[in-house]
Amino acid sequence: MIHPSVYASAAAQDDHAAQVIAYAAEAAKDSRGEYHSHTRHQLFHLVSGSVTVETALGSFVVPPERALWMPSGMLHATTYLQPSSLRFLYFRPEAVADAPATPSVIRISPLLRELILAYMAFPRDPVVTDGPAARLAAVIIDQIATEPVSPLHLPMPTSDRLRRAVADLAADPATAVPLPDVARRAALSQRSFERHFRAETGLSYRAWLRQARLMKAVEWLSFGLSVGDIAHRLGYEGASAFVASFRKAFGVTPGRYFADAG
């Protein structure tokens, strides 16, 4: 049972004395949060629905029962692709030793899910520094450090001309543009484009397109689309080719990926 005070906005709670602040919310389909940042680290836990999060470092897909770790001070904007149920935790930076400096999507284990829910049963006030709530917060911090990172990040080029050249492909990777054409968009030779693109994203253009397709696949799987439909829409040779590519990236089949989240 989530305490009613946890549904009150945490936006004005940056100076709150608690090490960890809990917040629960619902979001409507197609709602969007404009670019903003927090003075606290944020754990953005998606219980149901689907959301994409844009940052200067690229975009992230957060499917159900995953969470996005967002470092303090990082500008980000959210777009909810479905009606979504959300749980947030905000951490004082000094409370989380060796916190990741960049955003990352992590799996929410059954244990961590129950710990978060149990923490949300406590009222936000009064602040306590010991007792059950404080001990739960400490265990949550320990557990977050052990959760594996999911490859649900699409790095975007940092230069304007390269970002513009591939912006539509990030949104719709099914319409893959051949390297000569995308290099022409950026007014670069193929060799120069590939060199700059790898330097700015850490990936070759071909690997980047593959990552974009996999992220779109996770998004569509969260909508309930079939493997066959997704394979066809994203231009794979068949369902088996898509499953093989998904397994190589995530270590499991598409069906198992979402089953493991439960």
Side-chain angles (χ1 to χ4, degrees):
M1 178 73 69
I2 294 177
H3 194 276
S5 67
V6 174
Y7 286 99
S9 174
Q13 302 288 336
D14 288 340
D15 59 350
H16 197 280
Q19 298 281 4
V20 182
I21 295 174
Y23 173 49
E26 304 291 323
K29 180 182 178 181
D30 297 327
S31 60
R32 176 177 169 81
E34 297 303 322
Y35 275 96
H36 64 285
S37 64
H38 309 284
T39 59
R40 289 175 177 251
H41 300 314
Q42 180 192 55
L43 186 72
F44 186 121
H45 174 207
L46 192 72
V47 180
S48 63
S50 185
V51 64
T52 59
V53 182
E54 301 290 336
T55 75
L57 300 178
S59 60
F60 297 80
V61 171
V62 188
E65 292 304 345
R66 265 68 179 181
L68 179 63
W69 174 265
M70 183 62 64
S72 62
M74 175 69 66
L75 284 170
H76 58 283
T78 53
T79 301
Y80 295 94
L81 309 172
Q82 293 177 291
S84 300
S85 179
L86 310 152
R87 296 173 190 157
F88 301 91
L89 294 177
Y90 296 89
F91 302 84
R92 280 187 171 275
E94 66 271 17
V96 187
D98 301 319
T102 57
S104 56
V105 178
I106 65 172
R107 178 177 176 266
I108 295 293
S109 67
L111 173 59
L112 183 53
R113 181 176 62 234
E114 293 304 315
L115 288 169
I116 292 172
L117 187 59
Y119 189 72
M120 290 189 165
F122 290 90
R124 195 175 289 166
D125 293 304
V127 176
V128 294
T129 57
D130 56 14
R135 289 194 291 271
L136 271 175
V139 176
I140 287 170
I141 290 170
D142 287 342
Q143 284 296 310
I144 288 171
T146 68
E147 295 295 344
V149 173
S150 299
L152 290 171
H153 172 218
L154 183 67
M156 291 295 288
T158 54
S159 64
D160 288 341
R161 64 176 175 178
L162 263 65
R163 186 177 281 258
R164 286 195 300 267
V166 298
D168 61 326
L169 300 177
D172 184 12
T175 58
V177 177
L179 175 58
D181 294 339
V182 76
R184 195 174 302 115
R185 287 182 177 184
L188 292 169
S189 68
Q190 292 183 47
R191 180 174 294 181
S192 293
F193 178 86
E194 278 280 66
R195 183 175 68 253
H196 288 291
F197 194 84
R198 186 183 289 275
E200 293 183 23
T201 67
L203 298 172
S204 69
Y205 175 62
R206 182 178 180 181
W208 183 89
L209 278 177
R210 184 165 57 247
Q211 179 68 2
R213 284 195 295 268
L214 286 169
M215 287 183 58
K216 183 61 68 172
V218 170
E219 177 186 317
W220 286 344
L221 284 165
S222 73
F223 291 175
L225 270 66
S226 71
V227 167
D229 284 345
I230 292 171
H232 175 71
R233 290 191 185 192
L234 291 178
Y236 287 91
E237 294 181 358
S240 60
F242 164 60
V243 170
S245 181
F246 193 97
R247 187 198 296 271
K248 183 177 180 180
F250 296 101
V252 294
T253 64
R256 183 62 184 272
Y257 183 83
F258 280 89
D260 284 352

